[in-house]
Amino acid sequence: MAAQASAQEVAPADVKIADYAISDPLTGSAGDAAAGAKTFADRGLGNCLACHAVSALETEQFHGNVGPALDGVADRWNAEELRAIVVDAKQIFSEETVMPAFYSLDYGITPRKDLVGKTILTAQQVEDVVAYLATLKE
């Protein structure tokens, strides 16, 4: 879990979603697609495979089917839209989505006490995941 934002990161409370997108990166560093794939598959970080299937990660076990398969996701959404989805899917889809807000301090009504004040991913990890998702084209 991320603790506090560094000087180069946009703090979670300062992230603005407009028109279903976050136009500016959350950090001063470009996202790293290889690092994003690792975060995406890491069950202790993103744990994205718990809900989504991705053919490019076929060597990883236990792809989920709760969320849509993400093959071709970069053909459906641009990087700014993908960033907004990863940051806080509830603001993009609905409050009912089971996808967590990976870079938000708005946890809902019953957060775990040890997670209060922390985000699931760092701003750089979000950028890395977005860079990885941007590679998933048909």
Side-chain angles (χ1 to χ4, degrees):
M1 296 285 171
Q4 297 294 327
S6 75
Q8 294 181 354
E9 294 180 349
V10 176
D14 295 334
V15 174
K16 303 293 182 229
I17 296 175
D19 297 322
Y20 304 100
I22 299 172
S23 58
D24 296 323
L26 303 178
T27 69
S29 300
D32 177 319
K38 289 179 183 177
T39 297
F40 187 95
D42 188 318
R43 305 234 184 257
L45 287 174
N47 198 22
C48 305
L49 286 177
C51 293
H52 299 282
V54 176
S55 295
L57 296 175
E58 66 186 353
T59 59
E60 297 289 332
Q61 295 182 343
F62 309 117
H63 292 230
N65 61 7
V66 173
L70 294 181
D71 295 338
V73 71
D75 295 324
R76 298 187 296 274
W77 305 89
N78 64 38
E80 293 81 8
E81 294 164 331
L82 290 169
R83 184 177 296 114
I85 292 167
V86 173
V87 164
D88 191 352
K90 291 178 184 348
Q91 289 191 49
I92 305 305
F93 301 123
S94 81
E95 284 293 322
E96 302 302 315
T97 185
V98 297
M99 184 168 168
F102 286 98
Y103 194 68
S104 174
L105 299 177
D106 183 12
Y107 310 110
I109 58 173
T110 57
R112 282 182 19 198
K113 302 282 187 236
D114 63 322
L115 300 182
V116 173
K118 300 175 184 173
T119 59
I120 296 171
L121 298 178
T122 67
Q124 188 59 54
Q125 288 168 329
V126 169
E127 291 303 321
D128 294 345
V129 169
V130 169
Y132 173 66
L133 293 172
T135 70
L136 300 179
K137 297 186 177 210
E138 294 288 340

